Structure formats: C-alpha cells, structure tokens
Amino acid sequence: MATSQTPPRLEIAVAEPELAAVPRVGWRGPLAALVRKDVQLELRTKQTAIGMVLFALVAMVIFQFAIGSRTDDATPFAAGIIWATVALTAVLAVSRAWAAEREGRTIDGLLAAPVGRGVLLTAKAVSIFLYLLALEIVVVPLAVLFFVESAAATDLAIVFGLCLLANLALAIVGSLVASLAAFTRGRELLVPALFLPAIVPVLIAAAGGTFSVLGGTDDMAELRGYSLLLAGCAVVFGLVAYATYEFVFDD
Amino acid sequence: MIGPNGAGKTTLVRVLATLLRPDDGSLVLAGAPCPSQARRARAYIGYLGHDPLVYPDLTARENLELFASMYGLGDASARIDALLDRVGLLARSLEPVRGYSRGMAQRLGIARMLLHSPPVLLLDEPYSGLDVEGARVLDEELVPAAGHTIVAVTHEVDRAHALAERVVVMRSGKVVDDLRTAEVSLAELERRYAELVGAVAPT
Amino acid sequence: MTNARGTRLLAVTGTATALLLAVSVFGIFLVAPEDADQGIIQRIFYFHVAIALTSFIAFLVAAIYGIVYLRTRKPEYDRIGVASVGLGLFFSILVLITGSIWAKASWGTWWVWEDPRLATFVIVLLLYGAYFLLRSSADGERQARYSAIFAIAAFASVPLSFYSVRVAQSFVHPVVFTPSGANMPSTMLVWFVVAQVAMLGLFWTLLQMELVQRRTDAALKRLKAQLEVQ
C-alpha cells in the first residue's frame, strides 16, 4: 500500500421520509421464499432429484455385487448399505446446492437484499434436508426390498424417524460445505473431501440405529443410544451453524 | 464513474452495494455504517449490473415474488403487476425467463431493482444489454424528478455528462478526476476521457 | 516474535520440553509399574493417549483462533490457526503410528478398529487434510475466513466421531479399552501426566517456532509489495 494519508470515506445519505418508508425485513419471509424458490426450481427442472435417485440405485446395485452377493442373507448389511448410499448421494445434493445461483451470478441478487447471510445458508440447509428426505423415501423401501429378510411397517416408520433426525445434521453440514465450495475452483473434489469425513459420526449413528431395527435384533437400548447420538450431532452442528453461517458469504 | 477497463469501477460499485468488503476506508449508506450494519443499508439500495440477476427457470412473476419477500414487501402483487406492465413484460410474465431475449431479461432486472422503491440506485453499465423499451424505462428513472440518488458506471461519456451532477474519473484503481458537470463542458470531458483511455497501455 | 526476549522464551520452553520428553521416555519404559500381562512395547500406550489428547488440543486451538479471527479479521490469528492444524495433523499421524505399534504388541495385528483413537484419527486425518485442500482453493482474506469457519466445524465433529465410535463399539464389545481397566494406580497415572505435559510442551514449542517462520514470511511479503509499488 502506497503512502496514504487518511483512509477514504464515502457517505451516501438518504432523506428522512425515505429512510422511514423502507420496511424492516425479518427472516421468516425470506427463509420461506428461498426454500419455495428451490422447490419451484427443482420441480421445474428435476435435474438434481433424478440424478440423485439414479446414483443411489447404481450405488445399491454396486453394494450388492461387491458385498451382498457373497451371502444368502444380506440383512445385517442393509443398514450400512442404506446409509453409505445416502452419504455418497448427499454429496451430489451438496455439490449442486448453489447451482442455480452460479448461473448468471444470481447469487448477487440475493446478497444485495437486506437479509442476513445466515438466512441464505439456513434456507439452503432446509432445501438439502428436503432433497435427502425425498431420496430416503425412495432408497429405504428399496433397500428393505433388496436386502432385508422381513420388516414390519413399524420398523420402517422408525427408520424414517431416524432419517429425519440424521438429515438435520447432514443438511446443516451440507449447507456449510456447499456454501464454502460453491464459488471456488475445484469444487467437485472439495465437496466430498470436506463433507464426508465431517458426517462420519452421523453415519455411524444412523447406520447403527437402523441396524438395531432392521438387523433382526430389535434392541431398544441400542436404538435409544444411537438416536441420542444423532440428536447430539444435530445440536452440535446447529451450534456450529449459529457461529459460522453468517460469515461464509461475507466477502 | 467513467474510466478505462480495469479501472476498478465495477469493484467500487460492488463495494457500495455491500457485495464486497473493502480492505480500507469507511462507507456509510443511509446512515448505516458498512460493513457492520450493511444489512440495514441494503434495504435502501437498488443494484443492476451486466446481469439481470434473475432465475432463468422461474417466471418473471415468480422472480419478482421472491425478491418482494427478500425485501420484506408483504403482499406485493399489485406492485409486481404495475412494474411488469411498466417494463412491458406483463404479457409474458408467466413464462420462464429462459425464453426471454437478453433485452427482456435485462428489463426484468430493472423491475427487480425498482421493486422496493429504493432511494439509491447503483448501476454498472446499465444500458448495455438493454433494448429500446428498457432504455426508455431506465431514462425515466435517471432524471432528478424520479428522486433517486444514483451512482452509475458508464462508458458513454455524453450520457454521463447529460445526466450526472458529478463525474468521477478512475484509472488503475484510483480516482483521477472528480468534476462537477456544471463546470466542465462535454467536449472537455470527452477529451480527458480519451486521453486517459489512450494513455493506458493495452494489457 | 522476532525479538530477543521471545527467542529466549522459546529457548527456555524448548529445553524444558526436551528434558520432559527424556524424563517421560525413561520413566515410562523403565520406571513405571509393571502391569500383569503388559510387555514393554505396550507402554507406548502412554504416549499414544498423550499424543492423541495433544492433537485434539491443537485442533481446539485452531477452532478457538478461528472464532477469534472471524471477530477481529487479523491475519495473525489465521497464522496461528493454520500452524495449529498442521501440527495437529503431525500429531495425528503419530497417534496412528503409536496406536498401530501398540495394537501389534497387544493384539498381534497392525490395526484394530476397536481402538476409538485409531478410528477417530483416521477420520481426523481426512478431515483436516481437506482443510488444506480448502485453503488451496481460495486466497487472501477468503482463505483465512474459510479456514476459520472449517476449523470450527471440523473441531466440533471430532468429539462426535470419537463418541460415536465408542458408542458403536460398546454395543459390540462391552469392554473398556485401556491398558488396565478403570482403576489405575496413582503410580501409573503420574507417568500418564508426565507424558501428557511433555507432549503439550512439544506442541507449544513447535507452534512458536512455526509462528516465527510464518510471521517473518508475511513481513517479507509486505516489504516486497511496498517495494513493488514504488
């Protein structure tokens, strides 16, 4: 920096009546609008959701031939296969999370609005949560069909409960990673490298809980332990989000 | 703001729009110091650059509804209708923007910018990519009667001289000239600009 | 710290650390009480745990200074953060090596997933390796900001990983994984503490050395930039 005297100062003033005329913006309206926007875009283009489901199907088939075909009863592996598939497919959702905003730099339109940056990331977390849920609605029944001997309807309901719990942590971390990587070079490599190691605890707990339901043991103590762990992950990552979300787009 | 390419004009407008954090110096917008209270300041700013900043896969109406929420405008359907009519997009407001021509998309960008009736407009080469209709709408906003404070980047020295009270000339990231258009003739301004552009070696 | 007093302090802590390390090696391998079925190599477990905790603290330091950086935006805090993470990774590799040696001595195999430290630190290695990948994808202020953010998030996931591995293992092998179970005689505990303090001293010393290096690098860069302007 060359010799500078006083640092530059620029003030743009606005007259009083106009100052008052502009409404204060909360977070609920923008949050809902952003999630609605993501849903509208996905329903119209369907790119990400279909890509995710296809990838998940391929992954499950690969797991079958890599692991499952060596045994008559793949039931013990079902839980692991479900969550390995979800984790790997989630990488797709996270990678593509800001795709619409990359095109034509539309992100600037959002960043120029009087909305906290944290709200943008939170909305993205909600979107990722929905993508994961849509994925699990397809993957879990199929996995049960492919790999599990028998499962009651209540078992499936419990597994979906675990999905909801796990998705919280996955979505919170996913949004953070997506936003860190969204506008950087090497994004395709960065997302899995950042996301997957960070969600290993969620994976362990979700697979463990699912196993205790689908694995033929029906151990309530195990289920409770793993559910608590999942809740703990959600809380901890929620705190991380609270501390860091607003700083990601803070250029 | 006028100046050759690479002068830093776009960067400066982005700083004013609170899209960039400056390394040094202070900015106060509508009484709110930035970047600490940038969020408050953004409510008073309308920003338009080379890109219209709208979602191609949404319709014009859906886009404006999104931004109405982002600016806290509540039920803005009347205002959205009025703006779409003004920029001449009402008839095609239910088509995805992807089917629009560049001029039409940029007109939607203008509507987005004006949606929350901002007192301050930040424009980066606003006439580029605008068709005749769009230019007409923009002209209407750029007159004193419209009541905006405007900071605009442009290559068109004559338009700058005609519309602005103050012209800032930039080169290589620095302000080189700060002139009142009342005191400088158009010819003089054009001469200085040509000098500057000519004086910069091609990169 | 490019001044005389700082260098003296570094010399003092460096010497103290070296002494402590020597004492702890001597103590652990020769003086610490025998445990019934433990061999001499298995005593590397003392270091294994001490290094693991030190690595954890290194990442904690990085996370804390990440928070501080986000508040103050001073480059010094980014330097501390990246130096801490680097050292944390270095210690993590040592965790895996000492853990592997211990596994071989105790269980006959070079790797066990049941040791929660081994499992966790594999994850840690991947996680903080990605930290450097993230750093390389951005420069300047953004690099520092992203590093701070990720240091915070990554650190939060470390105890989660550790506990999830422990919980999962507890359902499979309800066995507590220490050299002699829950009750440890105080004579053993003493040597754990000595090893721990030695390792922390090592971390501190290496951190200071690395910070000096980075500060001088930054000062040099600033000088260069100034010269280029003129």
Side-chain angles (χ1 to χ4, degrees):
Chain A
M1 209 166 53
T3 54
S4 66
Q5 307 94 339
T6 48
R9 186 175 186 283
L10 175 63
E11 170 155 13
I12 299 180
V14 169
E16 197 35 62
E18 283 147 333
L19 263 179
V22 172
R24 186 131 179 83
V25 185
W27 56 269
R28 270 171 274 257
L31 185 69
L34 286 168
V35 176
R36 192 185 323 130
K37 175 257 304 174
D38 279 341
V39 172
Q40 279 172 329
L41 282 174
E42 184 56 40
L43 288 177
R44 203 152 293 168
T45 60
K46 303 184 189 59
Q47 281 173 352
T48 306
I50 292 186
M52 281 171 73
V53 167
L54 285 176
F55 180 84
L57 291 179
V58 171
M60 285 200 289
V61 170
I62 289 178
F63 281 121
Q64 162 58 26
F65 291 120
I67 305 175
S69 62
R70 240 155 306 289
T71 169
D72 283 333
D73 180 18
T75 306
F77 302 119
I81 291 177
I82 290 175
W83 287 101
T85 303
V86 169
L88 293 174
T89 314
V91 170
L92 282 182
V94 171
S95 261
R96 290 188 51 80
W98 290 105
E101 281 76 13
R102 269 194 294 274
E103 193 186 338
R105 285 223 63 109
T106 329
I107 184 74
D108 281 349
L110 299 182
L111 292 175
V115 174
R117 309 291 199 224
V119 175
L120 297 183
L121 268 80
T122 309
K124 200 51 77 174
V126 174
S127 299
I128 294 177
F129 183 98
L130 294 172
Y131 273 118
L132 290 175
L133 195 57
L135 175 71
E136 282 144 4
I137 287 175
V138 173
V139 165
V140 170
L142 270 178
V144 167
L145 176 68
F146 286 159
F147 304 115
V148 179
E149 281 267 325
S150 66
T154 44
D155 288 344
L156 277 180
I158 296 177
V159 172
F160 273 112
L162 287 172
C163 287
L164 289 177
L165 211 45
N167 287 355
L168 277 178
L170 293 175
I172 294 173
V173 175
S175 178
L176 186 60
V177 171
S179 311
L180 287 174
F183 299 99
T184 53
R185 43 187 189 266
R187 186 181 74 253
E188 288 98 3
L189 194 53
L190 204 52
V191 167
L194 293 174
F195 180 71
L196 291 174
I199 55 119
V200 166
V202 182
L203 207 56
I204 294 176
T210 306
F211 177 78
S212 70
V213 172
L214 292 180
T217 54
D218 263 342
D219 191 329
M220 288 318 285
E222 268 195 55
L223 180 62
R224 206 172 25 241
Y226 285 121
S227 304
L228 266 160
L229 201 45
L230 279 178
C233 287
V235 168
V236 169
F237 285 129
L239 289 172
V240 169
Y242 181 74
T244 58
Y245 267 9
E246 63 187 273
F247 296 106
V248 177
F249 285 141
D250 203 10
D251 275 334
Chain B
M1 283 189 279
I2 62 179
N5 288 331
K9 315 188 293 291
T10 298
T11 308
L12 184 52
V13 175
R14 287 176 66 82
V15 170
L16 294 182
T18 70
L19 295 175
L20 271 182
R21 216 181 236 261
D23 291 329
D24 199 9
S26 64
L27 171 67
V28 179
L29 264 169
C34 300
S36 54
Q37 295 192 44
R39 209 188 112 192
R40 249 194 332 132
R42 289 199 281 268
Y44 302 102
I45 303 170
Y47 172 68
L48 184 65
H50 295 115
D51 303 300
L53 305 184
V54 292
Y55 288 91
D57 288 308
L58 295 181
T59 68
R61 188 172 294 275
E62 284 166 345
N63 267 293
L64 292 182
E65 280 165 359
L66 168 66
F67 285 104
S69 277
M70 296 294 285
Y71 284 91
L73 296 180
D75 181 18
S77 37
R79 177 143 178 83
I80 291 175
D81 283 336
L83 264 175
L84 283 172
D85 189 30
R86 192 165 158 217
V87 297
L89 291 174
L90 194 55
R92 298 184 62 178
S93 65
L94 295 178
E95 291 173 31
V97 172
R98 210 177 270 288
Y100 282 12
S101 66
R102 167 118 171 89
M104 290 168 72
Q106 201 68 2
R107 273 190 264 153
L108 183 57
I110 296 177
R112 176 193 57 78
M113 177 178 69
L114 298 176
L115 190 60
H116 56 293
S117 319
V120 178
L121 295 183
L122 300 174
L123 309 168
D124 192 351
E125 309 215 25
Y127 286 95
S128 75
L130 270 187
D131 50 17
V132 171
E133 275 222 50
R136 184 183 51 80
V137 176
L138 199 55
D139 285 339
E140 288 166 14
E141 292 301 316
L142 262 48
V143 289
H148 299 296
T149 303
I150 299 176
V151 179
V153 168
T154 182
H155 275 305
E156 304 170 38
V157 185
D158 49 341
R159 210 190 281 260
H161 191 268
L163 296 171
E165 288 175 3
R166 181 176 162 196
V167 174
V168 164
V169 186
M170 289 182 70
R171 178 163 66 122
S172 306
K174 294 210 179 10
V175 170
V176 200
D177 256 331
D178 190 346
L179 311 160
R180 302 236 146 240
T181 47
E183 296 159 13
V184 177
S185 73
L186 174 59
E188 173 65 23
L189 191 62
E190 276 173 339
R191 190 189 59 78
R192 287 207 210 202
Y193 183 70
E195 214 174 71
L196 220 54
V197 174
V200 175
T203 40
Chain C
M1 191 205 322
T2 41
N3 57 358
R5 212 196 95 207
T7 326
R8 248 202 316 279
L9 179 65
L10 186 55
V12 168
T13 49
T15 322
T17 301
L19 275 170
L20 259 176
L21 274 172
V23 166
S24 61
V25 171
F26 172 77
I28 284 169
F29 285 108
L30 296 173
V31 176
E34 273 283 330
D35 190 16
D37 43 30
Q38 304 276 304
I40 254 242
I41 305 293
Q42 285 155 322
R43 295 188 188 187
I44 204 166
F45 191 80
Y46 289 84
F47 287 110
H48 177 59
V49 173
I51 295 174
L53 195 56
T54 305
S55 176
F56 181 79
I57 288 181
F59 295 129
L60 173 62
V61 167
I64 292 177
Y65 279 99
I67 296 177
V68 175
Y69 175 82
L70 288 177
R71 291 255 170 101
T72 63
R73 309 295 173 113
K74 293 214 179 79
E76 171 66 12
Y77 300 124
D78 176 51
R79 282 194 283 269
I80 299 179
V82 61
S84 281
V85 171
L87 285 172
L89 271 180
F90 165 69
F91 281 103
S92 297
I93 295 175
L94 291 182
V95 171
L96 296 180
I97 293 175
T98 53
S100 181
I101 295 174
W102 179 70
K104 180 68 179 165
S106 310
W107 301 70
T109 48
W110 286 109
W111 188 266
V112 284
W113 284 107
E114 290 84 353
D115 177 2
R117 274 159 302 276
L118 278 179
T120 307
F121 278 90
V122 167
I123 301 168
V124 160
L125 217 60
L126 294 170
L127 196 57
Y128 283 96
Y131 170 94
F132 285 103
L133 195 62
L134 179 63
R135 272 190 89 85
S136 72
S137 76
D139 351 78
E141 186 273 333
R142 207 187 236 190
Q143 181 192 56
R145 183 162 35 98
Y146 282 7
S147 302
I149 291 172
F150 194 68
I152 297 169
F155 178 74
S157 83
V158 173
L160 286 177
S161 290
F162 186 78
Y163 277 111
S164 57
V165 170
R166 271 255 287 258
V167 166
Q169 279 305 313
S170 76
F171 289 129
V172 181
H173 305 285
V175 159
V176 180
F177 223 54
T178 63
S180 58
N183 300 317
M184 206 184 299
S186 55
T187 40
M188 270 186 159
L189 193 59
V190 158
W191 290 109
F192 260 111
V193 172
V194 169
Q196 188 62 72
V197 176
M199 282 305 153
L200 287 174
L202 183 61
F203 167 62
W204 171 259
T205 310
L206 290 174
L207 181 65
Q208 294 307 319
M209 284 169 57
E210 177 145 3
L211 281 177
V212 168
Q213 167 88 321
R214 284 180 186 270
R215 280 177 203 138
T216 9
D217 270 348
L220 194 64
K221 246 192 223 142
R222 269 199 308 272
L223 262 170
K224 263 181 159 174
Q226 281 180 356
L227 286 171
E228 258 155 37
V229 167
Q230 287 144 21

